[in-house]
Amino acid sequence: MNVAILVGGKGRRLGGAEKSQIRICGKKIIERLTEEFAEFETVIVCRDEGQKRLFEGHCCVVDSVRNFGPLAGIHSALKHFRRRTVVVACDMPFVKAKVLEKLYAEAEKCDADVLLPVWNDGRLEPLLAVYSPNIIHEIERSFEKNERKILAPVFRSNNVALYDIECLRKIDKNLISFFNVNTREDVERAEKLCLSTDLEERSRI
């Protein structure tokens, strides 16, 4: 299974901090993710060569189009793998490998161009989702139109599958995989979640 971790965001609400380098319970988010995804073929997608130097020792690619946000990262990941890929934003420190496997399996089952997790209120999660190379052409159309919204090329695709996030509670009881870090308050919450999650995991052993 192929996994792409998008690290290009500039963390404006965190004072320009590199989100991937933020430590949660003493460990950088990027370390948490790469360790969790160790059994997968993983690439880190960076915004430029300068950022890429932060991830020496890892397989990395650079955004295909500069300053175009997550769409450029998804495009680069698909160009790199040329196969169906799970995309994960680097501000989601608690993503579980089993969640990725489930989403990927569902995308394979229905041969989806894109599989998007969806909440009960209709909110979508395009940065913890599965993409096929079939969407590359539509992303390139968005580049030409200066159209930056991820969902624009997604909903021009032929086969978009929506996956009910509630179905993931069997493998991620509190859906912690979808927690993301955007502010200092989120970092504080992540610390508390990390401690409670670690305690919960240890109690199962």
Side-chain angles (χ1 to χ4, degrees):
M1 192 174 83
N2 308 306
V3 178
I5 305 172
L6 306 190
V7 300
K10 296 183 179 179
R12 291 183 178 86
R13 284 186 281 175
L14 283 162
E18 291 281 357
K19 289 185 178 181
S20 66
Q21 306 299 300
I22 293 171
R23 290 183 181 273
I24 306 294
C25 290
K27 188 175 289 187
K28 294 177 182 177
I29 293 178
I30 193 63
E31 293 171 345
R32 299 182 69 89
L33 294 179
T34 53
E35 288 174 12
E36 181 71 15
F37 306 156
E39 64 186 279
F40 308 137
E41 189 173 347
T42 302
V43 66
I44 296 173
V45 187
C46 308
R47 62 177 173 268
D48 54 36
E49 291 293 335
Q51 189 187 39
K52 185 178 175 182
R53 287 193 283 273
L54 292 172
F55 307 100
E56 289 184 8
H58 294 281
C59 177
C60 298
V61 295
V62 173
D63 280 355
S64 53
V65 177
R66 291 290 298 275
N67 301 315
F68 213 90
L71 265 186
I74 294 168
H75 182 261
S76 291
L78 293 173
K79 284 279 197 177
H80 172 76
F81 284 124
R82 292 287 179 179
R83 296 190 298 276
R84 184 170 280 117
T85 299
V86 187
V87 168
V88 180
C90 77
D91 62 359
M92 305 173 94
F94 305 120
V95 179
K96 295 179 180 291
K98 288 183 178 180
V99 167
L100 301 194
E101 290 174 332
K102 180 61 175 175
L103 294 176
Y104 187 85
E106 291 296 324
E108 288 272 285
K109 188 188 299 183
C110 58
D111 194 25
D113 291 341
V114 183
L115 182 136
L116 292 172
V118 58
W119 295 92
N120 287 339
D121 61 4
R123 285 179 297 127
L124 301 170
E125 292 284 354
L127 292 179
L128 180 45
V130 186
Y131 295 85
S132 156
N134 292 341
I135 196 179
I136 288 175
H137 174 68
E138 291 300 342
I139 294 176
E140 290 171 350
R141 280 183 62 193
S142 288
F143 292 158
E144 292 167 5
K145 298 165 69 173
N146 198 33
E147 185 180 60
R148 294 168 183 268
K149 291 182 179 179
I150 299 175
L151 296 179
V154 165
F155 286 113
R156 288 198 300 266
S157 301
N158 292 324
N159 186 5
V160 179
L162 300 183
Y163 185 78
D164 185 354
I165 284 177
E166 290 297 319
C167 294
L168 294 169
R169 287 194 185 273
K170 295 174 185 175
I171 50 179
D172 185 359
K173 180 180 176 182
N174 297 311
L175 300 175
I176 197 172
S177 293
F178 294 91
F179 178 88
N180 63 334
V181 174
N182 287 310
T183 66
R184 291 295 170 194
E185 291 74 20
D186 291 337
V187 175
E188 292 172 9
R189 285 182 61 207
E191 285 283 335
K192 293 174 183 176
L193 280 170
C194 173
L195 290 170
S196 63
T197 302
D198 286 348
L199 286 170
E200 183 180 329
E201 291 296 327
R202 283 198 292 270
S203 70
R204 293 176 185 169
I205 296 173

